[in-house]
Amino acid sequence: MAGTLILEAIVIGLVLTVIARVDDGEHFQPWKVWFVSLLAVAMVVASGLQRRPWAIPLNLTLAGLAVAGWAVHWSMGVCGLMFAAVWAYILYLRRDLSRRMAGGYLPSQHD
């Protein structure tokens, strides 16, 4: 999950170049720059907090803010939706692994 957050932070940070260049910088407004920058920094910080019990809700909140980045530029919203799908898949894999562990279906559980 930490790796996914780092990748997401890089992609979100690159949105700054998009809003600076598209439409002759029309979307390059101070609040948009702050929103994108703070979100990317928050994702990097959150990547180091993955052992905390509240890490998954934090990850989902950051992913939701990335989708809400549609207000910054539609390309950020699309990136947010793609990463929301990645987070959904990660949660699916986590649930499946927990279920297999509880049922004793993992190969390492058979000695």
Side-chain angles (χ1 to χ4, degrees), residues 13-24:
L14 289 173
V15 168
L16 289 174
T17 61
V18 172
I19 63 175
R21 296 190 183 265
V22 173
D23 298 330
D24 296 325

Side-chain angles (χ1 to χ4, degrees), residues 6-75:
I6 292 294
L7 290 174
E8 191 171 9
I10 292 169
V11 170
I12 294 301
L14 289 173
V15 168
L16 289 174
T17 61
V18 172
I19 63 175
R21 296 190 183 265
V22 173
D23 298 330
D24 296 325
E26 177 182 324
H27 302 285
F28 202 71
Q29 300 166 354
W31 75 269
K32 292 180 180 183
V33 172
W34 277 103
F35 178 78
V36 173
S37 301
L38 289 176
L39 183 58
V41 169
M43 288 175 177
V44 170
V45 170
S47 71
L49 301 173
Q50 293 305 298
R51 289 187 178 206
R52 306 277 194 247
W54 40 266
I56 292 177
L58 175 64
N59 298 343
L60 297 178
T61 301
L62 292 173
L65 287 172
V67 173
W70 211 286
V72 171
H73 195 265
W74 65 267
S75 61

